[in-house]
Amino acid sequence: MAFDWFKRKTQNITTSTEDKKDVPKGLWHQTPSGKIVEHEELKANNYVSPEDGFHVRIGSKEFFSILFDDNKFTELDANVESVDMLNFKDTKSYTDRLKEVKAKTKLTDSIRNAVGSVNGEQMVISCMDFSFIGGSLGSVMGEKIRRAVDYCIENKLPYMIICQSGGARMQEATYSLMQLAKVQSKLAQLSEAGLLYIAYLCDPTFGGITASFAMTADIIMAEPGALIGFAGPRVIRETIGKDLPEGFQTSEFLQEKGFVDFIVKRTEIKDKVSKTVRLLADA
């Protein structure tokens, strides 16, 4: 959360204080606990607040810079874009919605594929961008994951998906749901080829993503405090008419119940992934 500082409009103790300019917008962040963190300090700590450990939501650009050595990677399938196959319209047409979000985010869809080295370990990473229609699963996400898996099989590389999504994209209706079977069938081929698949679940990971490939990886990692589930807590509470357990649907709760293997801080994710790849690839 970015916020402004007030200008000093009256005489102050020193002239230098009076003449200070406002801090530009966006250079400070406030965490949910109220801690204030300078942007450069946050960036240097992989966008994790050093004050309280809060993981600020980031996208593929930031994740790739964190994971790939010297931020060097080759993006795969960058030209695959969403289209309005059903002429869908809710409060606005899907075509207009896509134009707006593409212009705003500079992305072509809700996931990006890249290949590069993570502490010297060559691998392919697909990272979702929540800023693109809530990281929703549509036909392009399914197709890009398929292509990423094929690239891994062809080049005998391990694969990782960084998940952050609200679920399937309603504007593509059944086409979005078909991607679940499509992705799972490709991941089965990856497994048959003896190649590693890692999922890293970030806040939030919901809907069909959780019901399928986010939970079928060889190794499932999650960020601390990430909200992970199928339906949201409010929906579940209203459906069953009961209060939910404390911490329900957090990554810690799911680890306790055996759905998540490791809780991994973003500051440690690069080392954890490279060590996992090194150990299991050798095995």
Side-chain angles (χ1 to χ4, degrees):
M1 172 182 176
F3 59 121
D4 304 319
W5 298 99
F6 295 105
K7 293 182 179 180
R8 299 180 186 269
K9 294 184 178 180
T10 58
Q11 289 291 329
N12 221 313
I13 296 173
T14 64
T15 304
S16 61
T17 302
E18 179 186 354
D19 292 339
K20 279 185 178 180
K21 296 181 180 179
D22 290 340
V23 176
K25 292 181 180 180
L27 293 185
W28 297 84
H29 292 264
Q30 185 175 26
T31 70
S33 66
K35 301 296 184 181
I36 298 169
V37 188
E38 201 273 331
H39 179 75
E40 288 304 315
E41 183 181 7
L42 194 67
K43 181 179 179 181
N45 202 43
N46 290 355
Y47 300 91
V48 177
S49 168
E51 299 289 336
D52 56 11
F54 177 72
H55 285 54
V56 175
R57 187 177 294 162
I58 58 175
S60 57
K61 178 182 177 182
E62 293 80 13
F63 266 117
F64 288 165
S65 69
I66 290 169
L67 286 164
F68 288 120
D69 298 341
D70 301 319
N71 196 22
K72 294 180 179 179
F73 60 89
T74 300
E75 184 168 355
L76 308 172
D77 315 304
N79 61 341
V80 183
E81 298 190 28
S82 293
V83 295
D84 186 1
M85 298 170 287
L86 302 174
N87 295 318
F88 189 95
K89 185 175 182 180
D90 44 74
T91 55
K92 64 179 69 174
S93 73
Y94 184 34
T95 297
D96 290 342
R97 195 179 295 277
L98 286 171
K99 287 179 181 178
E100 289 178 9
V101 73
K102 287 176 182 179
K104 182 179 180 179
T105 64
K106 309 304 179 186
L107 299 167
T108 58
D109 202 76
S110 54
I111 196 168
R112 293 172 67 203
N113 296 340
V115 58
S117 294
V118 178
N119 283 337
E121 300 294 331
Q122 191 80 354
M123 63 185 299
V124 175
I125 301 175
S126 295
C127 182
M128 299 177 193
D129 279 280
F130 194 80
S131 61
F132 195 101
I133 315 183
S136 50
L137 168 66
S139 55
V140 168
M141 182 183 286
E143 176 62 16
K144 291 183 82 166
I145 292 176
R146 180 196 72 79
R147 295 188 185 195
V149 171
D150 283 343
Y151 187 95
C152 288
I153 293 173
E154 182 179 351
N155 295 277
K156 295 181 173 56
L157 296 175
Y159 185 44
M160 176 179 183
I161 300 181
I162 300 172
C163 301
Q164 45 186 345
S165 173
R169 189 173 301 175
M170 69 173 189
Q171 292 90 348
E172 295 188 18
T174 305
Y175 284 102
S176 65
L177 299 179
M178 290 167 59
Q179 306 311 309
L180 301 175
K182 177 178 180 178
V183 169
Q184 282 303 134
S185 65
K186 295 307 297 184
L187 291 174
Q189 293 178 17
L190 187 75
S191 178
E192 290 169 1
L195 298 170
L196 177 65
Y197 166 42
I198 299 171
Y200 188 45
L201 314 186
C202 304
D203 183 67
T205 299
F206 266 88
I209 304 293
T210 308
S212 59
F213 55 85
M215 290 296 187
T216 59
D218 299 305
I219 299 293
I220 301 174
M221 303 180 186
E223 286 186 340
L227 198 60
I228 303 165
F230 183 70
R234 179 182 58 81
V235 174
I236 296 175
R237 188 182 299 109
E238 291 177 355
T239 301
I240 66 175
K242 296 181 180 179
D243 289 332
L244 303 173
E246 186 177 352
F248 178 66
Q249 291 189 319
T250 61
S251 51
E252 290 79 7
F253 184 88
L254 292 178
Q255 184 187 39
E256 181 184 336
K257 301 302 179 182
F259 289 96
V260 168
D261 296 309
F262 304 107
I263 305 295
V264 185
K265 297 177 183 178
R266 199 182 292 155
T267 50
E268 302 170 356
I269 187 61
K270 182 172 183 177
D271 287 340
K272 181 69 75 172
V273 167
S274 61
K275 287 178 181 177
T276 301
V277 168
R278 196 172 296 117
L279 286 170
L280 295 185
D282 291 343

